[in-house]
Amino acid sequence: MTTIVNEASIRMTNDFTSQLAANIWGHRFTTGQRGPEYVLEFLNVLYGTKYNLNASEYDRKKAIGLRKFIFEGAKEGSRRDTVILDEVHKRKIYETLDNEDDVEVLRDFLRNLEVIIYNANGKVTDRSWFVKMLYPLHESLLFFELRTNKNSISFERNFFARGGELYYLMLAYGTENDHITRQFIERRFKELLQANKVIEKVVNKLNAALDEDEDAKPLKLKSDSGDDNVPWLPALDLNLYVEFAKEIKALISLNIDINEFFQLLNSQICFHLMRYMFDRVGAAEKNIFFFDCMDGANQHISLLSSKTFADHESLVKFGFEAEFENKFNKVIGNEEEGLRDFLDWKEDPDLFLKKLGLSKLGSKRKQQISSALIKSKEYSDLKKKVYEVIKEAVTEQMKKNQLGITKILARDGGIANYRTGNSYRYIISDYFLQTLVYVNVNPKESIEFSEFLDLLYKKYNFVIGEAQAKNSGLYERSKLNIRYFQQNEKHLRDKLKQNGLLIEFSDATAMIRNPYEAWECE
């Protein structure tokens, strides 16, 4: 398997900012998704490959009848109609499950498994029945997002199977030379998603009564032809993917069930995707993560944490702008090569917009670019006046469609949040804290608290307390009282204790402990 990007791959995207994002992060990695959806997509892809991290394609499930049964009475899209299960299939279900009471109990149980998706304001999103998803207590409850068009129901790929496909590829690349880790991840996920035989038995009965037909064409995961429906990742040092695979292996090696794992996987995968994005633009190396462990109680700590989040966002923005400049210069070429094109573009600006992939810009923006191009007197004006007008338009698109990804991943992964009157700041939620312990401390083993903080600093550039603040230079740059960093460290220590992950022997000695047993393969 290779991660090299060729020119055919660049043609996969239609608008300029999507091309830039694809060049940086890979095809099919854009806004519009929430943290839990990345996890569900990844599990759908893995299940669709029959738990094979070396697959070239994967199968999908619609589960239309099952979803109609579960969400009967829920709204159906913007028309505000309600989904209804036809009487024939209702009667078959009643016959299969013996009585109506059992049917309603089962429906309520399955409906309560819905994965609730929250918007940026923390409110529950209003989602149609065909895009609702369930906690994967068993692989039989995994299915693809759908969309309705008049009387037809088809797979939705504009929103579903984007980041999940890319994460699958990250683990595939990360285990390419480590078959032991690959086989463990494959076996463990298969065991987790097939363990609940009771759910499987009930869903199989429902599917039989509902006459489910799942004859869908598989989706490709690899292609040499530049197919625009195939995901791909840019060339990258595989060490990051290797680390992701090892951490996922460590997390799922714990002897807990898939229901408990889901929130942990959500936090872990969001963090991995954030690290991937930052790594691609060099932010992970240039900036530290300073976490506010005091829940906003100390304004100095909170503001400093907000600044580190903003610094990361700025580096993502700068990386995007650098990619934009490279792409723009490549399109217009040098004066000797591009003078004839320049004259053609002045005559017909639409040719220029199409060449840059800007045909889908709003009419106002297109008019601004066309006007700047027509007024250009010399070829050099392309790199000055026209460039600035396009950069403004692209930056607007970028803010709308690309830069929000880091906020979504951070918020949904419990890695950052937003406070009224303030900006985003890095925090450590309970689930994120648990994943940090579980992937860095072996099952039933312990390490000293200060050693744990040093490990997080060396591995992830995490700054929590006094020692890391001094070592990173943050203490000196911030000009804050050292007492603030000490208080921040104490709050993390208290949070670990509240989560049952820390044992105090004295004020000076505390041990971080992973309380779980290791899973043993049968």
Side-chain angles (χ1 to χ4, degrees):
M1 185 179 288
T2 178
T3 56
I4 300 299
V5 176
N6 54 43
E7 287 300 316
S9 301
I10 307 301
R11 298 196 299 269
M12 295 176 179
T13 50
N14 294 319
D15 68 87
F16 196 58
T17 55
S18 291
Q19 289 180 16
L20 296 177
N23 291 348
I24 301 171
W25 294 303
H27 180 50
R28 308 191 66 78
F29 190 49
T30 57
T31 54
Q33 294 181 289
R34 310 300 310 199
E37 291 173 312
Y38 286 108
V39 181
L40 289 167
E41 289 173 9
F42 165 67
L43 295 178
N44 265 279
V45 175
L46 190 60
Y47 164 68
T49 65
K50 298 180 175 58
Y51 306 97
N52 176 10
L53 284 174
N54 192 35
S56 58
E57 61 183 21
Y58 69 97
D59 295 320
R60 299 167 289 171
K61 285 194 306 183
K62 287 184 179 178
I64 296 173
L66 179 62
R67 283 194 258 201
K68 284 187 174 182
F69 166 72
I70 296 171
F71 298 113
E72 185 171 19
K75 78 180 183 72
E76 186 173 359
S78 59
R79 298 191 303 274
R80 314 305 296 184
D81 296 334
T82 55
V83 59
I84 298 174
L85 186 66
D86 64 83
E87 292 299 324
V88 173
H89 287 114
K90 278 186 182 179
R91 187 166 58 253
K92 285 185 177 181
I93 289 174
Y94 292 144
E95 292 172 355
T96 300
L97 299 179
D98 297 330
N99 66 72
E100 194 167 331
D101 289 339
D102 289 345
V103 172
E104 295 309 314
V105 169
L106 177 59
R107 191 202 311 272
D108 288 342
F109 170 76
L110 292 173
R111 187 173 293 188
N112 286 332
L113 293 180
E114 180 187 349
V115 176
I116 304 300
I117 304 295
Y118 297 91
N119 63 21
N121 297 319
K123 295 182 179 180
V124 177
T125 56
D126 188 17
R127 295 166 66 82
S128 303
W129 68 272
F130 44 83
V131 296
K132 292 177 181 286
M133 296 289 155
L134 304 179
Y135 280 98
L137 297 188
H138 186 270
E139 62 183 25
S140 60
L141 299 180
L142 289 170
F143 35 71
F144 222 76
E145 190 169 296
L146 303 174
R147 64 177 169 185
T148 61
N149 183 16
K150 295 181 180 180
N151 296 321
S152 65
I153 298 176
S154 59
F155 288 113
E156 172 60 77
R157 200 152 184 239
N158 288 332
F159 295 100
F160 202 75
R162 297 192 301 192
E165 287 179 336
L166 294 191
Y167 192 71
Y168 168 90
L169 291 179
M170 290 179 195
L171 294 189
Y173 298 147
T175 58
E176 200 166 27
N177 299 315
D178 185 354
H179 295 291
I180 293 177
T181 296
R182 171 174 285 186
Q183 290 171 6
F184 180 91
I185 291 173
E186 292 169 343
R187 289 199 308 269
R188 180 57 171 146
F189 271 115
K190 183 176 182 179
E191 193 275 342
L192 283 166
L193 291 168
Q194 292 183 349
N196 200 325
K197 300 299 182 183
V198 175
I199 292 288
E200 179 183 30
K201 184 177 180 181
V202 171
V203 172
N204 284 345
K205 283 186 177 181
L206 286 173
N207 286 335
L210 292 165
D211 301 320
E212 289 283 21
D213 182 12
E214 296 293 352
D215 187 21
K217 184 179 179 180
L219 283 181
K220 291 182 180 179
L221 286 165
K222 306 174 194 174
S223 174
D224 297 323
S225 60
D227 187 339
D228 63 359
N229 280 322
V230 178
W232 54 267
L233 292 171
L236 181 69
D237 183 354
L238 294 183
N239 288 335
L240 188 67
Y241 300 148
V242 170
E243 191 172 327
F244 289 173
K246 288 180 178 178
E247 290 190 344
I248 283 293
K249 178 185 176 183
L251 183 63
I252 63 176
S253 69
L254 305 180
N255 192 22
I256 55 180
D257 62 36
I258 189 63
N259 190 36
E260 293 179 84
F261 263 131
F262 188 82
Q263 295 293 352
L264 299 173
L265 283 169
N266 175 59
S267 194
Q268 184 71 71
I269 289 176
C270 284
F271 180 48
H272 280 173
L273 293 175
M274 279 183 65
R275 289 174 63 193
Y276 168 72
M277 292 185 70
F278 291 153
D279 189 85
R280 287 292 296 153
V281 295
E285 297 178 1
K286 296 177 181 178
N287 253 7
I288 53 90
F289 294 76
F290 177 67
F291 287 88
D292 176 6
C293 299
M294 302 178 69
D295 297 325
N298 185 304
Q299 184 180 17
H300 300 287
I301 292 294
S302 183
L303 289 174
L304 186 57
S305 179
S306 295
K307 183 181 183 305
T308 61
F309 190 94
D311 287 344
H312 273 157
E313 279 201 308
S314 293
L315 286 168
V316 171
K317 180 175 178 290
F318 294 152
F320 203 95
E321 290 175 345
E323 188 67 30
F324 159 67
E325 186 172 359
N326 291 336
K327 177 68 176 177
F328 181 84
N329 289 333
K330 185 176 181 180
V331 167
I332 67 170
N334 58 45
E335 185 168 357
E336 183 180 348
E337 298 169 343
L339 187 57
R340 182 182 299 175
D341 285 336
F342 171 62
L343 297 175
D344 290 340
W345 294 337
K346 278 175 61 67
E347 187 73 23
D348 186 356
D350 285 342
L351 293 174
F352 181 65
L353 291 167
K354 184 177 181 180
K355 180 79 171 179
L356 277 172
L358 294 172
S359 299
K360 292 188 176 182
L361 274 180
S363 58
K364 182 179 178 180
R365 285 294 188 187
K366 287 167 67 174
Q367 181 59 41
Q368 290 172 340
I369 296 170
S370 298
S371 177
L373 180 60
I374 292 171
K375 292 178 182 178
S376 297
K377 296 179 180 180
E378 298 178 355
Y379 177 85
S380 60
D381 288 337
L382 280 175
K383 293 191 175 184
K384 297 175 182 177
K385 299 174 183 179
V386 178
Y387 173 83
E388 289 301 324
V389 175
I390 295 176
K391 182 180 178 181
E392 184 179 343
V394 168
T395 298
E396 182 181 66
Q397 273 195 348
M398 173 185 64
K399 289 179 179 178
K400 180 181 178 181
N401 300 323
Q402 307 299 335
L403 291 185
I405 302 176
T406 53
K407 286 187 174 74
I408 290 171
L409 290 169
R411 184 173 58 244
D412 290 357
I415 304 160
N417 69 4
Y418 179 84
R419 292 178 66 86
T420 303
N422 204 341
S423 56
Y424 277 82
R425 75 192 197 285
Y426 284 119
I427 55 118
I428 299 183
S429 66
D430 288 343
Y431 282 119
F432 184 45
L433 184 60
Q434 290 165 25
T435 63
L436 290 174
V437 172
Y438 298 155
V439 303
N440 291 293
V441 182
N442 293 329
K444 286 298 182 183
E445 293 187 9
S446 304
I447 66 171
E448 208 274 324
F449 175 61
S450 61
E451 182 185 348
F452 180 67
L453 295 186
D454 287 341
L455 185 154
L456 297 183
Y457 174 63
K458 292 174 182 177
K459 189 174 182 181
Y460 309 120
N461 286 345
F462 283 9
V463 173
I464 307 290
E466 176 182 353
Q468 299 79 44
K470 288 181 175 178
N471 290 337
S472 65
L474 183 63
Y475 166 60
E476 185 176 351
R477 293 195 302 273
S478 70
K479 302 186 186 307
L480 293 183
N481 191 307
I482 196 63
R483 184 176 72 254
Y484 295 148
F485 295 102
Q486 293 168 347
Q487 291 172 349
N488 198 48
E489 181 177 318
K490 183 180 183 305
H491 275 77
L492 180 65
R493 179 166 164 161
D494 292 342
K495 194 177 189 72
L496 282 159
K497 188 175 180 180
Q498 292 166 5
N499 277 270
L501 301 171
L502 180 139
I503 302 172
E504 290 182 327
F505 294 98
S506 67
D507 290 342
T509 305
M511 302 296 293
I512 304 284
R513 181 168 175 77
N514 183 342
Y516 282 104
E517 300 277 356
W519 173 74
E520 295 183 6
C521 180
E522 296 180 358

